[in-house]
Amino acid sequence: MTSTNIPNTFPLNLPEGDPDLLLDELQTRLREGRRLFAEVGQILAEIESRGVRDLYGFNSIAVFYEHVARVPRAEAKRVADRALALNSRRTRDGTSTPPVAPLTGAAAATGALADGGIDRIVTVMRRLPEHIAPSARLEAEKDLVDLASVARPRDVTIAGTDVLARLAPDDNDTHDPTPRTPRSEFWLRQKRTGRWDMRGNLDSETGARLNALLVPLAQPAPDGKADSRTPAERRGDAFAEIVDLAESSPDVPMPRQTSEPLTERPEPAEPVEKPANSSGTAQPRERGDQSRHRGDDSARSDKAHGVAHIRPPRWWFRLSRSRPGTETSSPALDRSVVQISDKNATHSQQRKTA
């Protein structure tokens, strides 16, 4: 006869209406799963001691675990590194290699530590220099293990940073020879939808002041009605209210005026010496003969000289010959034109003779 007291959707034989019992069962199974996984690490360390290549033909214990457990390469490497750091193993010559964190390995074997806390403790113990006394190392590791058994991995990271600063301050300075005080940062960009996305990294004082302004304004509606806004939406409304208050303040700074870009004015061209045989000033050009390029004759002559290096003489002669109503502004230009004209005439005479 089948009992109707046990719900079919729940596989465990647990009574309903007891949240503490559910929590205890969850913690028990988490602890048991961690203990079994610690035994997996012990087996991997033993395989490494005997030689994974000789036993199974793999190059490393991480590659072996990747194929056996059918997990990604990154996860397999983390598991292998954790197993080798928590368990002692023998080398090929028979010597024993001690674990990096022996107390952490003993606590992990009981299922009291999670993987995140174990990895952070191992990182701290590897960064401790060798000249630290063994008693100081064990004391620091014990403090971290006790914390990791009841706290989150981020708390273990903070405590590990304090341990490194206390036991190896010189070693920390070598990693950053020129430490500097981090400044507050803030990013604000507008998305295609028109809304604005912002994020920042504030120092402790600025962050505390901003939080003190947001907290009272982000409280639920005080009129007793149900507030359907999420906590993030309430903080967004509070931030918008702070912006309104700051904008209406009489002490708000005015927007900075953008300075106009400085444009370099061209320096006046030096006066060109007129040839001795020229008399009077050049007559102004007719409207129909005006050039498309503005500027004085000396600039046009410099441009023509540059063209002479890359174009045949006939192009040079066409660009540099004098136009009706103008005079040649440089004797050197006249001599160049005459020489090129003589060369062209010589080449033409030679072709006719041939």
Side-chain angles (χ1 to χ4, degrees), residues 42-122:
Q42 296 174 4
I43 297 175
L44 291 177
E46 181 65 22
I47 294 175
E48 177 69 16
S49 299
R50 300 184 183 183
V52 64
R53 177 183 288 274
D54 298 337
L55 294 177
Y56 305 105
F58 289 93
N59 294 329
S60 66
I61 193 68
V63 178
F64 165 75
Y65 184 76
E66 177 188 1
H67 286 78
V68 172
R70 298 185 295 276
V71 296
R73 175 67 60 87
E75 181 180 352
K77 188 177 185 305
R78 287 194 299 268
V79 172
D81 292 343
R82 190 183 306 126
L84 299 181
L86 299 184
N87 302 280
S88 60
R89 60 188 187 277
R90 300 181 306 274
T91 57
R92 304 301 295 270
D93 56 359
T95 59
S96 178
T97 302
V100 178
L103 298 181
T104 307
T110 63
L113 302 181
D115 296 340
I118 294 174
D119 294 340
R120 282 154 178 80
I121 296 176
V122 171

Side-chain angles (χ1 to χ4, degrees), residues 10 117 199 279 307 310:
F10 194 65
R199 62 186 182 91
S279 60
V307 175
I310 61 176

Side-chain angles (χ1 to χ4, degrees), residues 120-141:
R120 282 154 178 80
I121 296 176
V122 171
T123 301
V124 173
M125 300 307 297
R126 281 176 173 169
R127 291 185 57 183
L128 285 177
E130 297 180 356
H131 61 79
I132 301 297
S135 59
R137 295 177 65 94
L138 291 177
E139 182 180 359
E141 185 182 1

Side-chain angles (χ1 to χ4, degrees), residues 16-342:
E16 297 182 1
D18 194 350
D20 295 335
L21 181 59
L22 289 176
L23 180 60
D24 292 340
E25 292 294 333
L26 175 62
Q27 292 179 346
T28 300
R29 281 155 179 77
L30 285 175
R31 190 180 302 108
E32 184 66 17
R34 293 166 181 169
R35 186 188 64 80
L36 293 176
F37 203 71
E39 293 181 357
V40 172
Q42 296 174 4
I43 297 175
L44 291 177
E46 181 65 22
I47 294 175
E48 177 69 16
S49 299
R50 300 184 183 183
V52 64
R53 177 183 288 274
D54 298 337
L55 294 177
Y56 305 105
F58 289 93
N59 294 329
S60 66
I61 193 68
V63 178
F64 165 75
Y65 184 76
E66 177 188 1
H67 286 78
V68 172
R70 298 185 295 276
V71 296
R73 175 67 60 87
E75 181 180 352
K77 188 177 185 305
R78 287 194 299 268
V79 172
D81 292 343
R82 190 183 306 126
L84 299 181
L86 299 184
N87 302 280
S88 60
R89 60 188 187 277
R90 300 181 306 274
T91 57
R92 304 301 295 270
D93 56 359
T95 59
S96 178
T97 302
V100 178
L103 298 181
T104 307
T110 63
L113 302 181
D115 296 340
I118 294 174
D119 294 340
R120 282 154 178 80
I121 296 176
V122 171
T123 301
V124 173
M125 300 307 297
R126 281 176 173 169
R127 291 185 57 183
L128 285 177
E130 297 180 356
H131 61 79
I132 301 297
S135 59
R137 295 177 65 94
L138 291 177
E139 182 180 359
E141 185 182 1
K142 182 178 182 303
D143 294 339
L144 294 177
V145 169
D146 294 340
L147 179 62
S149 61
V150 295
R152 297 170 299 176
R154 59 182 299 182
D155 301 323
V156 181
T157 301
I158 297 174
T161 304
D162 296 337
V163 169
L164 292 175
R166 176 169 50 87
L167 296 181
D170 298 336
D171 184 69
N172 293 337
D173 294 340
T174 57
H175 290 285
D176 190 5
T178 57
R180 63 182 184 89
T181 303
R183 300 181 61 88
S184 298
E185 298 175 332
F186 184 77
W187 295 271
L188 181 66
R189 68 179 183 90
Q190 188 176 17
K191 299 185 290 186
R192 293 182 178 180
T193 57
R195 299 184 64 85
W196 292 81
D197 183 19
M198 62 180 180
R199 62 186 182 91
N201 183 13
L202 306 179
D203 58 86
S204 58
E205 180 181 357
T206 305
R209 293 167 60 188
L210 178 59
N211 186 65
L213 294 175
L214 287 174
V215 167
L217 298 177
Q219 297 295 330
D223 53 2
K225 297 181 180 180
D227 196 342
S228 60
R229 299 177 299 171
T230 63
E233 291 174 346
R234 294 201 305 265
R235 288 191 296 269
D237 294 341
F239 188 82
E241 188 173 351
I242 293 175
V243 172
D244 293 339
L245 294 175
E247 189 177 11
S248 61
S249 175
D251 299 331
V252 62
M254 297 298 296
R256 295 180 180 178
Q257 301 293 335
T258 57
S259 59
E260 297 181 358
L262 298 178
T263 57
E264 297 182 358
R265 296 182 179 179
E267 298 181 357
E270 296 181 358
V272 181
E273 296 182 0
K274 296 181 179 181
N277 57 355
S278 63
S279 60
T281 58
Q283 299 294 331
R285 297 181 180 180
E286 298 292 338
R287 182 174 298 271
D289 295 336
Q290 289 181 354
S291 174
R292 293 184 295 107
H293 301 281
R294 302 289 181 179
D296 54 349
D297 293 339
S298 60
R300 184 169 55 84
S301 301
D302 294 339
K303 182 177 180 181
H305 278 290
V307 175
H309 295 284
I310 61 176
R311 290 184 176 180
R314 65 182 65 181
W315 287 95
W316 163 246
F317 178 77
R318 185 185 303 174
L319 290 174
S320 58
R321 64 183 178 182
S322 59
R323 299 182 180 181
T326 60
E327 295 181 0
T328 304
S329 59
S330 174
L333 185 60
D334 295 337
R335 289 194 299 270
S336 301
V337 173
V338 172
Q339 293 175 0
I340 294 173
S341 301
D342 295 341

